[in-house]
Amino acid sequence: MAHKRRRGTAIVDTPNGILVVSEGARIYHLPGGVARKGESRRKAAIRELREETGLIAVDCSYLFEYTSHSNQHKVFLMKCTGTAEPKNEIKHLAYFDGSNVNVSDTTKKIIERYHGIRSALSLKRCEVCGRDDILPFKCNYCGKTLCSDHRLPESHNCTSLSEIPTLHPYAPDMKRRLAKWSEEDYDKSKNYRPIIPPETPYHPRKHKSKPQLLKRIIAFLLIIIFVGGLYHHRAFVIPTFLKFIGYEAPEIAPTVTPIQTPVTTPSQTPTSSPIPTPTSTPTITSQPNTTDIEVAIFIYTNIERRNHGVEELIWDEQLSEIARAHSRDMVQNDFFSHVNLEGEDPTARAKRYGYPLRKELGGGWYREGIAENIGAMPTGNVLGVGYVSNDADSIAKAQVESWMSSSGHRSNILDPSYNRLGVGVAYDGLYYISTQNFW
């Protein structure tokens, strides 16, 4: 079963239509986004709506759930304040009324379902302007049912405004208004005092002086610079501190994860697939960069196959591009898995790159998909490996030996049915993240 992302989706229904957004491709979709780790989809919808359009949700009602090809949507009806404007990655805004803009299929289905249940939602009429509203407001003081334009007491001439000092002497918002009203009168007449209980006497608010505020800002910036410096030089600071307090840090163990070999399936009518022309194996230079590590891993892999009587692999540059992209993706998005954040496994990624997945094995049998090994190798004293120098040859040799000590990785390296190999390496500042793709 494919992994689906948890997405909070917002519907903002206006008189002009339903608000939709676009990143620039002129294909519009509903505002919202994927929930972060530990974040509810309601909060994700409210956060993304504000980041994409600048609108602030004042009311949020759950409508229904909808499952698309890659997302598990939780749809909310939003009542908002502010002016909608494109922000961040959003380039265009529009109001969809049924056919005026091009929307995605998922957006169209969600809006159709919303229109289907809209009639079941209770519509209430504003007592000031008479407009029907799906999410009306109710005044806490006079009890009137109001629309978003007349929800504040000042906007609908609330009958309790003149009675605020006696009816609501302890209400925090009323006390703030009362204090604001009383400052001008208090300056004109020393006998005037706002009606506030004696146990909470009124004191005019004093603003902090500009020099004091400036000192706090400078101190805050210095703290940020200090913490950032510690983090940037953590490779030196942490070992020095541990040595100072007499603590001896343990060795770092490499992180490796095997993946199962693709399933072999019989074919009734064998067919051949186009195979990219392999390139010659590049040579290692003296510069210890990721390209040198990739080539060294390829060489040590073939040494293992030769020592076990298996035919050597051919370097495949297209497979290397697929592997290299996955290693960089794991570094940039801080994860370590055969399945990326889009839910794609190695075969799905190869298909996206247009790589032929079907491989004829003879006798009416074929295999679909590619196999993969991933690993993370640090330098220095590595538990179970020994000392790994910061050069391409040492890193590649340690990584291949680590794979050979794991049954899942070892079976991929020594599988005689594979004849092509792509290798990709990326560096995250501590580990060299390596990916092998076999075909």
Side-chain angles (χ1 to χ4, degrees):
M1 180 179 179
H3 172 73
K4 293 185 183 293
R5 299 176 298 180
R6 298 166 51 252
R7 189 182 196 274
T9 302
I11 291 182
V12 181
D13 198 351
T14 71
N16 298 327
I18 294 177
L19 177 65
V20 289
V21 298
S22 172
E23 286 85 356
R26 293 295 183 177
I27 298 178
Y28 290 82
H29 59 83
L30 291 169
V34 178
R36 297 170 179 168
K37 184 176 181 179
E39 182 183 39
S40 68
R41 282 179 281 181
R42 178 188 295 270
K43 290 183 179 179
I46 295 173
R47 172 179 55 77
E48 289 287 343
L49 177 65
R50 185 169 186 175
E51 291 177 357
E52 293 176 355
T53 66
L55 294 176
I56 300 174
V58 296
D59 199 357
C60 178
S61 298
Y62 168 72
L63 292 177
F64 53 83
E65 289 196 19
Y66 179 82
T67 302
S68 64
H69 176 69
S70 59
N71 293 316
Q72 185 71 32
H73 298 261
K74 207 165 191 177
V75 184
F76 300 90
L77 182 62
M78 302 282 191
K79 182 67 68 174
C80 306
T81 61
T83 304
E85 296 178 351
K87 292 182 179 294
N88 298 323
E89 72 275 9
I90 299 303
K91 305 301 180 185
H92 306 285
L93 297 178
Y95 293 93
F96 180 68
D97 60 6
S99 59
N100 57 330
V101 293
N102 185 21
V103 298
S104 65
D105 292 339
T106 299
T107 296
K108 185 177 296 184
K109 291 177 181 178
I110 291 176
I111 292 177
E112 288 175 355
R113 185 171 176 183
Y114 163 68
H115 284 312
I117 68 171
R118 183 178 178 181
S119 58
L121 298 174
S122 58
L123 295 176
K124 294 187 179 180
R125 179 163 297 180
C126 176
E127 297 185 25
V128 177
C129 63
R131 189 179 75 183
D132 291 334
D133 208 324
I134 297 175
L135 297 174
F137 297 89
K138 187 173 183 180
C139 180
N140 293 331
Y141 308 113
C142 64
K144 289 182 178 179
T145 301
L146 307 161
C147 65
S148 57
D149 296 333
H150 299 96
R151 65 189 183 92
L152 296 178
E154 296 86 349
S155 301
H156 64 269
N157 295 325
C158 183
T159 56
S160 64
L161 283 177
S162 60
E163 304 173 359
I164 285 173
T166 56
L167 291 180
H168 309 282
Y170 293 96
D173 54 338
M174 293 299 104
K175 282 201 281 187
R176 285 195 296 271
R177 292 181 189 175
L178 196 57
K180 184 177 179 181
W181 297 338
S182 63
E183 282 180 352
E184 295 180 2
D185 295 335
Y186 180 78
D187 292 336
K188 295 176 182 178
S189 174
K190 298 298 182 180
N191 296 325
Y192 180 85
R193 292 282 182 178
I195 304 175
I196 297 178
E199 61 270 21
T200 57
Y202 168 70
H203 296 286
R205 192 172 186 179
K206 295 182 180 180
H207 295 279
K208 293 181 175 65
S209 62
K210 289 185 178 179
Q212 185 179 3
L213 182 61
L214 184 61
K215 289 180 182 178
R216 293 192 176 187
I217 293 175
I218 294 175
F220 179 72
L221 292 177
L222 290 176
I223 291 173
I224 291 178
I225 293 173
F226 177 73
V227 174
L230 289 178
Y231 178 78
H232 181 71
H233 298 285
R234 62 190 184 278
F236 170 76
V237 173
I238 295 176
T240 303
F241 176 74
L242 294 176
K243 184 177 180 181
F244 176 76
I245 64 175
Y247 175 77
E248 198 169 319
E251 296 179 333
I252 304 173
T255 307
V256 290
T257 303
I259 185 172
Q260 294 181 352
T261 304
V263 178
T264 303
T265 309
S267 170
Q268 300 299 328
T269 56
T271 59
S272 59
S273 300
I275 299 175
T277 303
T279 60
S280 60
T281 303
T283 58
I284 301 178
T285 65
S286 59
Q287 180 68 27
N289 54 33
T290 55
T291 303
D292 295 338
I293 299 173
E294 292 171 357
V295 176
I297 288 176
F298 172 78
I299 293 173
Y300 279 113
T301 300
N302 272 336
I303 290 174
E304 293 293 342
R305 289 174 69 93
R306 188 188 316 134
N307 292 340
H308 289 82
V310 183
E311 183 181 356
E312 295 184 15
L313 298 167
I314 301 172
W315 177 273
D316 192 315
E317 185 58 33
Q318 188 176 4
L319 272 180
S320 296
E321 286 297 326
I322 299 170
R324 200 172 293 126
H326 186 54
S327 292
R328 292 172 180 170
D329 187 24
M330 288 191 286
V331 169
Q332 293 170 1
N333 293 294
D334 191 23
F335 74 97
F336 187 75
S337 173
H338 294 288
V339 180
N340 63 18
L341 300 184
E342 300 296 327
E344 296 177 320
D345 61 9
T347 299
R349 296 195 305 272
K351 183 178 181 180
R352 174 160 54 85
Y353 276 83
Y355 194 84
L357 302 178
R358 182 168 174 140
K359 182 177 184 179
E360 298 296 334
L361 302 178
W365 291 81
Y366 70 91
R367 171 187 284 120
E368 284 194 1
I370 64 173
E372 182 177 87
N373 285 344
I374 61 175
M377 181 59 63
T379 57
N381 290 320
V382 181
L383 186 64
V385 176
Y387 184 79
V388 179
S389 301
N390 191 23
D391 60 80
D393 187 75
S394 297
I395 295 167
K397 184 177 181 181
Q399 184 61 78
V400 173
E401 289 177 352
S402 176
W403 279 330
M404 289 297 292
S405 63
S406 168
S407 60
H409 301 87
R410 179 187 179 92
S411 63
N412 281 342
I413 291 175
L414 301 180
D415 193 325
S417 64
Y418 299 138
N419 58 5
R420 297 178 184 273
L421 174 64
V423 184
V425 178
Y427 184 56
D428 68 357
L430 181 61
Y431 289 91
Y432 288 90
I433 309 299
S434 305
T435 302
Q436 283 184 316
N437 283 337
F438 299 84
W439 187 85

